């Protein structure tokens, strides 16, 4: 009798543990499916943005779909965004993937240009319909939030010394600007994301900084995803463009940008 009871108890334990693992597996599967379908929801969300703008739809020329005109239409879209950006009297950012450059611009004049060494963009951007691309990129896009490993300090204007004594005192002053490894993420309007990386990781400090930077991004993404899933909310999908540029240029660009920054983006 005791052996029969022990067998039954073992059976129940195995059964309940199996049911528990099955439930956990189904929850994880549902979570992964919700994440996989997030890009579809994102596309629909942006398409609704276009469809709801009756003025834009009315003035959109269907002839722009002609293969020989598409590139010209995209160039026109880029120029329109630059023109609107020139109305702003502070330093702004211009990112042109077609010629692999990133520029600092003020009042329509480029004051600094950097060559993009390498970039990677989500497939989402390549699949944008022409009306949606024009709608999104025909005007500057505001930066909603940012995070960086770079120490950001205001630019200090140094005046010429009056005499040799003052010059000697200036030389003796230490440089307090910390040159940390350079990694930056900008979250834009419509939940688009731009990541800027230094082009090379030369030592362990650079590698650990990169690891910590992406660790924070991934933890934030996983936390938000879990909250949305258990609160029965749609998953967020953030289309991302990652750029690699020389470290000194990256620091200079980030430190030059004001708090209220806009980006002109050309795909």
């Amino acid at each position: 009798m005791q052996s029969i009871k022990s067998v039954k108890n073992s059976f129940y334990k195995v059964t309940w543990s199996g049911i528990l693992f099955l439930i956990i597996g189904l929850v994880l599967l549902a979570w992964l499916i919700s994440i996989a379908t997030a890009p579809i929801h994102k596309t629909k969300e942006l398409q609704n943005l276009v469809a709801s703008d009756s003025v834009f739809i009315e003035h959109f020329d269907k002839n722009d779909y002609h293969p020989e005109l598409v590139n010209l239409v995209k160039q026109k879209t880029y120029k329109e965004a630059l023109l609107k950006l020139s109305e702003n009297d502070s330093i702004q950012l211009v990112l042109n993937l077609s010629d692999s450059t990133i520029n600092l611009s003020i009042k329509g004049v480029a004051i600094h240009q950097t060559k993009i060494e390498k970039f990677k963009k989500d497939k989402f951007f390549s699949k944008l319909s022409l009306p949606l691309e024009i709608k999104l990129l025909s005007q500057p896009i505001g930066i909603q939030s940012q995070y960086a490993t770079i120490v950001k300090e205001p630019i200090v204007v140094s005046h010429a010394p009056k005499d040799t004594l003052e010059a000697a005192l200036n030389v003796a002053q230490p440089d307090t600007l910390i040159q940390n490894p350079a990694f930056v993420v900008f979250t834009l309007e419509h939940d688009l994301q731009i990541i800027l990386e230094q082009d090379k990781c030369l030592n362990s400090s650079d590698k650990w900084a990169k690891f910590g930077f992406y660790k924070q991004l991934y933890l934030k993404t996983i936390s938000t995803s879990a909250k949305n899933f258990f609160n029965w909310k749609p998953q967020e999908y953030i289309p991302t463009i990652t750029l690699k540029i020389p470290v000194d240029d990256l620091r200079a660009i980030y430190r030059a940008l004001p708090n209220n920054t806009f980006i002109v983006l050309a795909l």
Side-chain angles (χ1 to χ4, degrees):
M1 291 293 293
Q2 290 180 352
S3 61
I4 294 175
K5 287 182 179 179
S6 62
V7 170
K8 286 184 177 180
N9 290 335
S10 299
F11 174 77
Y12 288 136
K13 288 180 180 178
V14 171
T15 302
W16 282 111
S17 62
I19 292 174
L20 180 61
F21 280 117
L22 178 61
I23 292 173
I24 293 174
L26 290 174
V27 170
L28 288 175
L29 179 61
W31 186 13
L32 292 175
I33 291 174
S34 69
I35 293 173
T37 57
I40 299 174
H41 296 305
K42 183 67 176 180
T43 302
K44 289 182 178 179
E45 173 192 330
L46 294 177
Q47 286 175 343
N48 290 336
L49 181 69
V50 175
S52 62
D53 191 341
S54 58
V55 176
F56 175 81
I57 295 297
E58 182 181 351
H59 289 85
F60 183 77
D61 190 350
K62 293 184 179 180
N63 292 324
D64 293 341
Y65 283 110
H66 194 284
E68 295 181 1
L69 296 178
V70 169
N71 287 334
L72 292 176
V73 171
K74 291 184 177 182
Q75 291 180 24
K76 179 174 176 288
T77 300
Y78 175 58
K79 298 296 184 182
E80 287 177 351
L82 287 177
L83 186 60
K84 293 174 183 176
L85 188 70
S86 67
E87 298 172 1
N88 197 306
D89 59 359
S90 60
I91 297 175
Q92 305 298 335
L93 197 59
V94 178
L95 174 57
N96 192 332
L97 298 185
S98 61
D99 65 4
S100 296
T101 60
I102 183 168
N103 297 275
L104 288 177
S105 174
I106 183 168
K107 299 294 287 183
V109 178
I111 59 174
H112 179 85
Q113 183 178 92
T114 300
K115 192 70 176 176
I116 298 171
E117 301 293 335
K118 189 177 181 181
F119 72 85
K120 179 177 67 175
K121 62 180 179 179
D122 287 357
K123 293 181 179 178
F124 172 88
F125 292 101
S126 301
K127 296 179 179 180
L128 289 177
S129 66
L130 186 60
L132 181 52
E133 184 172 340
I134 294 173
K135 174 67 176 177
L136 290 178
L137 305 183
S138 61
Q139 56 189 349
I141 306 172
I143 294 178
Q144 302 295 313
S145 63
Q146 55 187 282
Y147 166 70
T149 61
I150 304 170
V151 176
K152 189 167 188 174
E153 293 187 4
I155 298 173
V156 178
V157 179
S158 299
H159 299 282
K162 298 178 181 178
D163 49 37
T164 54
L165 178 60
E166 186 175 339
L169 291 174
N170 289 340
V171 171
Q173 292 178 352
D175 182 6
T176 59
L177 193 59
I178 301 173
Q179 303 295 344
N180 286 341
F183 300 93
V184 180
V185 57
F186 295 121
T187 302
L188 315 180
E189 294 177 88
H190 312 299
D191 289 328
L192 307 179
Q193 188 169 259
I194 305 292
I195 295 177
L196 303 177
E197 294 184 11
Q198 62 184 54
D199 57 344
K200 297 176 182 177
C201 290
L202 300 176
N203 51 50
S204 58
S205 177
D206 291 345
K207 294 176 181 178
W208 274 110
K210 183 176 182 178
F211 173 79
F213 173 79
Y214 278 102
K215 178 184 175 182
Q216 179 158 331
L217 290 184
Y218 293 148
L219 288 176
K220 181 180 178 182
T221 299
I222 293 172
S223 175
T224 302
S225 176
K227 288 179 181 177
N228 289 338
F229 179 75
F230 288 109
N231 289 324
W232 297 95
K233 293 181 179 179
Q235 290 290 351
E236 296 179 0
Y237 170 64
I238 303 178
T240 302
I241 298 173
T242 303
L243 314 170
K244 291 189 177 184
I245 63 176
V247 61
D248 290 337
D249 287 301
L250 178 47
R251 292 192 187 108
I253 289 170
Y254 178 71
R255 287 170 179 157
L257 294 175
N259 292 328
N260 185 24
T261 303
F262 288 86
I263 289 181
V264 165
L265 179 60
L267 300 176

